[in-house]
Amino acid sequence: MPTFRSGWSNAYGADRTPPARVYAAPMTLLLLALAIASEITATVSLKISDGFTKLVPSIIVVIGYGAAFFFLSQALKRGMPIGVAYGIWSAVGVAAIAVIGVLFLDERLSLIQVGGIGLVILGVLALELGGAH
């Protein structure tokens, strides 16, 4: 009967732990950036699709979210912790979508909403800095 090995056995061998900050490699960060860009593109297209009644934006939504999850999975595969990856992905996405909404989609942000976005970013920083110790 095969035994189950948890943790890092596939990437680093059964008895080795991963090196600290392995996920900070440029390719891992590039994959995360591509995931964020894909998600932002898909989300803006979701607004423009008008409830999936416009074909081209609707297609961009499906492709964009698929690409976002693919690139995020590749960053995770390379060792980025899921809490950090998802935190950065979502915080940058929220901030970017809010700014795009104000600049290009005729939306408004209240001071409370701006404060909320700031708290999300602070939460991601806390996740990142807390994992460094």
Side-chain angles (χ1 to χ4, degrees), residues 26-48:
M27 182 56 121
T28 304
L29 296 176
L30 175 63
L31 289 164
L32 183 60
L34 289 170
I36 292 166
S38 298
E39 187 264 340
I40 291 168
T41 301
T43 302
V44 171
S45 297
L46 188 61
K47 172 79 172 177
I48 296 169

mmCIF file of all heavy atoms in Angstrom, residues 26-48:
data_model
loop_
_atom_site.group_PDB
_atom_site.id
_atom_site.type_symbol
_atom_site.label_atom_id
_atom_site.label_comp_id
_atom_site.label_asym_id
_atom_site.label_seq_id
_atom_site.Cartn_x
_atom_site.Cartn_y
_atom_site.Cartn_z
ATOM 1 N N PRO A 26 11.875 35.625 -9.273
ATOM 2 C CA PRO A 26 11.233 36.510 -10.252
ATOM 3 C C PRO A 26 10.116 35.834 -11.052
ATOM 4 O O PRO A 26 9.086 36.459 -11.304
ATOM 5 C CB PRO A 26 12.391 36.927 -11.162
ATOM 6 C CG PRO A 26 13.605 36.818 -10.306
ATOM 7 C CD PRO A 26 13.340 35.661 -9.380
ATOM 8 N N MET A 27 10.288 34.571 -11.432
ATOM 9 C CA MET A 27 9.249 33.892 -12.215
ATOM 10 C C MET A 27 7.970 33.712 -11.396
ATOM 11 O O MET A 27 6.867 33.875 -11.922
ATOM 12 C CB MET A 27 9.761 32.540 -12.709
ATOM 13 C CG MET A 27 8.740 31.830 -13.571
ATOM 14 S SD MET A 27 8.223 32.855 -14.954
ATOM 15 C CE MET A 27 8.676 31.830 -16.289
ATOM 16 N N THR A 28 8.095 33.409 -10.112
ATOM 17 C CA THR A 28 6.921 33.248 -9.257
ATOM 18 C C THR A 28 6.166 34.561 -9.137
ATOM 19 O O THR A 28 4.940 34.597 -9.232
ATOM 20 C CB THR A 28 7.341 32.739 -7.871
ATOM 21 O OG1 THR A 28 8.070 31.519 -8.038
ATOM 22 C CG2 THR A 28 6.138 32.473 -6.985
ATOM 23 N N LEU A 29 6.904 35.638 -8.949
ATOM 24 C CA LEU A 29 6.264 36.953 -8.852
ATOM 25 C C LEU A 29 5.653 37.365 -10.185
ATOM 26 O O LEU A 29 4.579 37.988 -10.211
ATOM 27 C CB LEU A 29 7.263 37.986 -8.359
ATOM 28 C CG LEU A 29 7.798 37.739 -6.941
ATOM 29 C CD1 LEU A 29 8.863 38.758 -6.578
ATOM 30 C CD2 LEU A 29 6.668 37.743 -5.929
ATOM 31 N N LEU A 30 6.289 37.015 -11.288
ATOM 32 C CA LEU A 30 5.728 37.293 -12.608
ATOM 33 C C LEU A 30 4.416 36.533 -12.798
ATOM 34 O O LEU A 30 3.434 37.093 -13.303
ATOM 35 C CB LEU A 30 6.719 36.919 -13.708
ATOM 36 C CG LEU A 30 6.196 37.050 -15.143
ATOM 37 C CD1 LEU A 30 5.844 38.501 -15.468
ATOM 38 C CD2 LEU A 30 7.218 36.513 -16.131
ATOM 39 N N LEU A 31 4.387 35.271 -12.384
ATOM 40 C CA LEU A 31 3.156 34.486 -12.496
ATOM 41 C C LEU A 31 2.037 35.104 -11.653
ATOM 42 O O LEU A 31 0.883 35.169 -12.102
ATOM 43 C CB LEU A 31 3.405 33.037 -12.077
ATOM 44 C CG LEU A 31 4.255 32.229 -13.048
ATOM 45 C CD1 LEU A 31 4.765 30.957 -12.398
ATOM 46 C CD2 LEU A 31 3.456 31.914 -14.318
ATOM 47 N N LEU A 32 2.369 35.568 -10.465
ATOM 48 C CA LEU A 32 1.364 36.227 -9.632
ATOM 49 C C LEU A 32 0.891 37.522 -10.290
ATOM 50 O O LEU A 32 -0.309 37.819 -10.300
ATOM 51 C CB LEU A 32 1.908 36.501 -8.233
ATOM 52 C CG LEU A 32 0.913 37.132 -7.265
ATOM 53 C CD1 LEU A 32 -0.308 36.238 -7.057
ATOM 54 C CD2 LEU A 32 1.591 37.431 -5.937
ATOM 55 N N ALA A 33 1.803 38.282 -10.873
ATOM 56 C CA ALA A 33 1.421 39.522 -11.569
ATOM 57 C C ALA A 33 0.512 39.224 -12.753
ATOM 58 O O ALA A 33 -0.465 39.950 -13.003
ATOM 59 C CB ALA A 33 2.668 40.274 -12.026
ATOM 60 N N LEU A 34 0.795 38.149 -13.475
ATOM 61 C CA LEU A 34 -0.069 37.754 -14.603
ATOM 62 C C LEU A 34 -1.452 37.331 -14.107
ATOM 63 O O LEU A 34 -2.468 37.628 -14.748
ATOM 64 C CB LEU A 34 0.582 36.631 -15.405
ATOM 65 C CG LEU A 34 1.800 37.031 -16.236
ATOM 66 C CD1 LEU A 34 2.508 35.795 -16.787
ATOM 67 C CD2 LEU A 34 1.400 37.977 -17.360
ATOM 68 N N ALA A 35 -1.494 36.655 -12.963
ATOM 69 C CA ALA A 35 -2.785 36.276 -12.371
ATOM 70 C C ALA A 35 -3.590 37.518 -12.011
ATOM 71 O O ALA A 35 -4.800 37.600 -12.281
ATOM 72 C CB ALA A 35 -2.557 35.408 -11.131
ATOM 73 N N ILE A 36 -2.925 38.499 -11.428
ATOM 74 C CA ILE A 36 -3.598 39.742 -11.036
ATOM 75 C C ILE A 36 -4.093 40.495 -12.269
ATOM 76 O O ILE A 36 -5.247 40.944 -12.311
ATOM 77 C CB ILE A 36 -2.651 40.606 -10.187
ATOM 78 C CG1 ILE A 36 -2.381 39.933 -8.843
ATOM 79 C CG2 ILE A 36 -3.216 42.012 -9.994
ATOM 80 C CD1 ILE A 36 -1.221 40.526 -8.062
ATOM 81 N N ALA A 37 -3.250 40.619 -13.272
ATOM 82 C CA ALA A 37 -3.646 41.330 -14.496
ATOM 83 C C ALA A 37 -4.811 40.629 -15.184
ATOM 84 O O ALA A 37 -5.747 41.296 -15.669
ATOM 85 C CB ALA A 37 -2.456 41.438 -15.447
ATOM 86 N N SER A 38 -4.792 39.317 -15.212
ATOM 87 C CA SER A 38 -5.885 38.559 -15.839
ATOM 88 C C SER A 38 -7.186 38.753 -15.076
ATOM 89 O O SER A 38 -8.252 38.928 -15.675
ATOM 90 C CB SER A 38 -5.533 37.065 -15.887
ATOM 91 O OG SER A 38 -4.389 36.832 -16.657
ATOM 92 N N GLU A 39 -7.100 38.738 -13.757
ATOM 93 C CA GLU A 39 -8.296 38.906 -12.928
ATOM 94 C C GLU A 39 -8.872 40.303 -13.078
ATOM 95 O O GLU A 39 -10.090 40.485 -13.175
ATOM 96 C CB GLU A 39 -7.947 38.609 -11.465
ATOM 97 C CG GLU A 39 -9.143 38.587 -10.538
ATOM 98 C CD GLU A 39 -9.364 39.910 -9.828
ATOM 99 O OE1 GLU A 39 -8.424 40.718 -9.733
ATOM 100 O OE2 GLU A 39 -10.499 40.147 -9.374
ATOM 101 N N ILE A 40 -8.013 41.303 -13.121
ATOM 102 C CA ILE A 40 -8.476 42.690 -13.296
ATOM 103 C C ILE A 40 -9.145 42.851 -14.657
ATOM 104 O O ILE A 40 -10.224 43.444 -14.768
ATOM 105 C CB ILE A 40 -7.306 43.674 -13.116
ATOM 106 C CG1 ILE A 40 -6.863 43.688 -11.664
ATOM 107 C CG2 ILE A 40 -7.681 45.074 -13.590
ATOM 108 C CD1 ILE A 40 -5.539 44.400 -11.428
ATOM 109 N N THR A 41 -8.522 42.306 -15.690
ATOM 110 C CA THR A 41 -9.095 42.367 -17.042
ATOM 111 C C THR A 41 -10.458 41.692 -17.084
ATOM 112 O O THR A 41 -11.420 42.228 -17.645
ATOM 113 C CB THR A 41 -8.145 41.714 -18.059
ATOM 114 O OG1 THR A 41 -6.890 42.387 -18.022
ATOM 115 C CG2 THR A 41 -8.720 41.750 -19.462
ATOM 116 N N ALA A 42 -10.552 40.524 -16.467
ATOM 117 C CA ALA A 42 -11.822 39.793 -16.455
ATOM 118 C C ALA A 42 -12.898 40.552 -15.686
ATOM 119 O O ALA A 42 -14.055 40.609 -16.114
ATOM 120 C CB ALA A 42 -11.615 38.402 -15.855
ATOM 121 N N THR A 43 -12.528 41.148 -14.570
ATOM 122 C CA THR A 43 -13.512 41.857 -13.754
ATOM 123 C C THR A 43 -14.029 43.107 -14.451
ATOM 124 O O THR A 43 -15.235 43.389 -14.432
ATOM 125 C CB THR A 43 -12.914 42.192 -12.381
ATOM 126 O OG1 THR A 43 -12.507 40.972 -11.754
ATOM 127 C CG2 THR A 43 -13.919 42.896 -11.498
ATOM 128 N N VAL A 44 -13.142 43.861 -15.084
ATOM 129 C CA VAL A 44 -13.582 45.033 -15.849
ATOM 130 C C VAL A 44 -14.482 44.584 -17.000
ATOM 131 O O VAL A 44 -15.532 45.191 -17.264
ATOM 132 C CB VAL A 44 -12.375 45.851 -16.355
ATOM 133 C CG1 VAL A 44 -12.815 46.925 -17.335
ATOM 134 C CG2 VAL A 44 -11.628 46.475 -15.181
ATOM 135 N N SER A 45 -14.113 43.501 -17.660
ATOM 136 C CA SER A 45 -14.925 42.978 -18.763
ATOM 137 C C SER A 45 -16.285 42.500 -18.267
ATOM 138 O O SER A 45 -17.275 42.592 -18.991
ATOM 139 C CB SER A 45 -14.190 41.834 -19.467
ATOM 140 O OG SER A 45 -13.004 42.319 -20.049
ATOM 141 N N LEU A 46 -16.339 42.008 -17.034
ATOM 142 C CA LEU A 46 -17.621 41.584 -16.457
ATOM 143 C C LEU A 46 -18.582 42.765 -16.364
ATOM 144 O O LEU A 46 -19.763 42.641 -16.692
ATOM 145 C CB LEU A 46 -17.365 40.976 -15.080
ATOM 146 C CG LEU A 46 -18.525 40.307 -14.380
ATOM 147 C CD1 LEU A 46 -19.066 39.136 -15.188
ATOM 148 C CD2 LEU A 46 -18.094 39.829 -13.006
ATOM 149 N N LYS A 47 -18.061 43.901 -15.964
ATOM 150 C CA LYS A 47 -18.887 45.116 -15.908
ATOM 151 C C LYS A 47 -19.340 45.520 -17.312
ATOM 152 O O LYS A 47 -20.501 45.844 -17.541
ATOM 153 C CB LYS A 47 -18.080 46.245 -15.243
ATOM 154 C CG LYS A 47 -18.719 47.597 -15.281
ATOM 155 C CD LYS A 47 -19.783 47.751 -14.251
ATOM 156 C CE LYS A 47 -20.256 49.201 -14.195
ATOM 157 N NZ LYS A 47 -21.332 49.383 -13.263
ATOM 158 N N ILE A 48 -18.398 45.488 -18.263
ATOM 159 C CA ILE A 48 -18.686 45.912 -19.632
ATOM 160 C C ILE A 48 -19.602 44.927 -20.361
ATOM 161 O O ILE A 48 -20.336 45.310 -21.267
ATOM 162 C CB ILE A 48 -17.359 46.103 -20.406
ATOM 163 C CG1 ILE A 48 -16.556 47.245 -19.768
ATOM 164 C CG2 ILE A 48 -17.600 46.403 -21.871
ATOM 165 C CD1 ILE A 48 -15.131 47.340 -20.277
#
